Amino acid sequence: VPTANFKIVVVMNRGQTAGDVTESALVYSVIMPNTPEAKGTNWTQYLVSVDEVEKQTGYDFLSKVPEAVQKVIEARVAAAP
């Protein structure tokens, strides 16, 4: 059983591709612990940067997004909606 689950969401318009992502793109990323205490909590408590998800998982996400844009959007932690 994993100790946590993660999710990354890049908000885009229908028909857009990774090449259309800009530095102003809204990106939500979370790492949620896989524990009974997490049940019933608001997901916004677990907001982190994409860089943090990459650090903890060892994966490289958003690799099809232009590199300069990637550096900006992966470093930022989105505000809760």
Side-chain angles (χ1 to χ4, degrees), residues 6 8 19 22 30-31 36-37 44 46-48 51 55 63 65 70 75 78:
F6 66 88
I8 299 169
T22 66
V30 295
I31 299 176
E37 295 79 26
T44 58
Y46 305 105
L47 285 164
V48 296
D51 283 340
K55 178 181 164 189
S63 59
V65 172
Q70 213 182 125

Side-chain angles (χ1 to χ4, degrees), residues 9 11 25-30 43-50 72-81:
V9 176
V11 180
L26 184 55
V27 179
Y28 294 107
S29 52
V30 295
W43 65 271
T44 58
Q45 291 179 208
Y46 305 105
L47 285 164
V48 296
S49 67
V50 174
V72 172
I73 65 175
E74 287 188 357
R76 162 173 87 214
V77 177

Side-chain angles (χ1 to χ4, degrees), residues 15-71:
Q16 287 185 309
T17 67
D20 298 317
V21 176
T22 66
E23 293 178 3
S24 64
L26 184 55
V27 179
Y28 294 107
S29 52
V30 295
I31 299 176
M32 298 184 71
N34 194 12
T35 62
E37 295 79 26
K39 184 178 181 181
T41 60
N42 191 315
W43 65 271
T44 58
Q45 291 179 208
Y46 305 105
L47 285 164
V48 296
S49 67
V50 174
D51 283 340
E52 182 61 28
V53 177
E54 289 178 332
K55 178 181 164 189
Q56 290 192 33
T57 65
Y59 294 121
D60 179 25
F61 296 101
L62 309 181
S63 59
K64 300 218 181 224
V65 172
E67 191 171 336
V69 173
Q70 213 182 125
K71 286 181 181 183

